[in-house]
Amino acid sequence: MLIKRCSKTWLLMLVMLAGAGAPKVMAAGPQLSPYQYQQLSQAAELRERQQYPQAEKLLVELLGRLNEQTKASYALALTQLKLGQLLLEQQRYQEALNYYEQAVASGHVEAQQAQQLLLLRAQLNMSLAHWQQGISLLQQWLNTTDASQQQASHYHLLAQAYLQLESWQSGAKAIERAISMQTAAVPLNWYKMAMVSRSQLEDWPQAIVWQKQLLAAEPQQMQHWYQLSALMLRAKQQRSALASMRLAYQQGLFTKPEHYTLLSQLLLREGNAFFAASIVEQALEQNQLPRNKANQRLLSQAWLLAKQQQQAGEALAKLIEIEPSDSNLRQYAQLLLQQQQWAKAAQILARLVEQQTEVEPKLWLMLAVANVHLSNYQQARQLLVKAQQDSRLQNETEVWLNYLKQVAS
């Protein structure tokens, strides 16, 4: 949204305005002496031939003489305007602006020309990142110019300055006015400016309206779908966000890992764990998602929620290869116990016990259960005794100890 000083379009607009704002050189008469007229005419010819240094030298010399005279106010203002125009064509914006300001301040610029210079000075200030001054001048021009002469581009320019100052409310109003006035196709950046402004104001419904315009213009651009879903989530429109991401997925538009993770998370929230797990697994296999701990954990949790124990077990096994944390090992061991894979469960639990400095009594119980089913009764009894240290496990450990008495007798 930054205004580019070197933009050809920007420069052309400034030069056109400079030409409109500067009065023509008048013939020698009451206001211009023959010498003044000759210097200005010669400078104009040099400028037309793009001989800028020579033209500037003539005008600066004339300006020096006029500054010494007390009755040359009109000629002085005219020379300042001509110097401003000359410097503007060379993209010397600050110097050009200085001469325009001096000419206007003199009070010898005609009202119509001063009005035209309001817009030019506003643009020059904005090109120099003098945003507040640019806004002030442009607002003054808009307030004193007939509506028939105002264009959408003027309000777009105003919006740019407001957004630079993070004046989101004023910026939103200005860019929306520009959009409503635009008769040709609205530039996409205008919709983006409107969406950003409304987002900063947390006006999510209106931000969604503008984001949909971006999407309608470029339906194959995945970032528009992703941004739309993000805004819908902000607006607490979870199902709409999911619908948006699913549609983009079905069209094969996903290009980044976050696209897959957002869709899978939205599916999990809506209770469609199987589809979420399928998407993540396929993305991992096709290297569209990196197989890191976050994505592997997402896959395992999705399969667990989908009640697909085999796939969940495979996902957890790969997870502990990446991150053998206590919580991951414990979850995998619990699943193995549910699947009655006693030997593998005992192996994982033993590993978990080994890496803990203070073993949780619950782990002793889980390991004991695995050993009971492996017929390691003596070891199981020792583990159950350790588990009895936790009073909350008394009843469960007594059940298993009684069972061991029966099978051992």
Side-chain angles (χ1 to χ4, degrees), residues 309-325:
Q309 291 191 349
Q310 181 178 345
Q311 292 95 322
E314 293 171 358
L316 282 167
K318 290 180 180 177
L319 177 59
I320 63 174
E321 291 177 7
I322 301 171
E323 185 187 31
S325 65

Side-chain angles (χ1 to χ4, degrees), residues 187-239:
L188 295 187
N189 189 52
W190 294 18
Y191 289 132
K192 186 175 181 180
M193 290 170 65
M195 181 274 292
V196 169
S197 300
R198 289 301 174 183
S199 295
Q200 291 292 336
L201 294 168
E202 298 187 5
D203 184 354
W204 308 119
Q206 192 58 42
I208 288 170
V209 168
W210 298 124
Q211 184 60 33
K212 284 183 176 179
Q213 292 289 342
L214 285 168
L215 179 58
E218 296 182 322
Q220 297 304 309
Q221 294 297 316
M222 182 57 210
Q223 71 265 26
H224 296 328
W225 294 94
Y226 186 75
Q227 182 65 37
L228 179 59
S229 295
L231 291 171
M232 286 172 168
L233 286 174
R234 288 283 196 170
K236 304 187 185 307
Q237 299 175 13
Q238 184 170 299
R239 290 187 177 179

Side-chain angles (χ1 to χ4, degrees), residues 52-69:
Y52 296 125
Q54 297 91 325
E56 183 178 353
K57 181 179 180 182
L58 279 178
L59 291 172
V60 170
E61 288 177 358
L62 176 59
L63 191 65
R65 292 195 180 190
L66 293 172
N67 279 324
E68 297 172 356
Q69 302 176 22

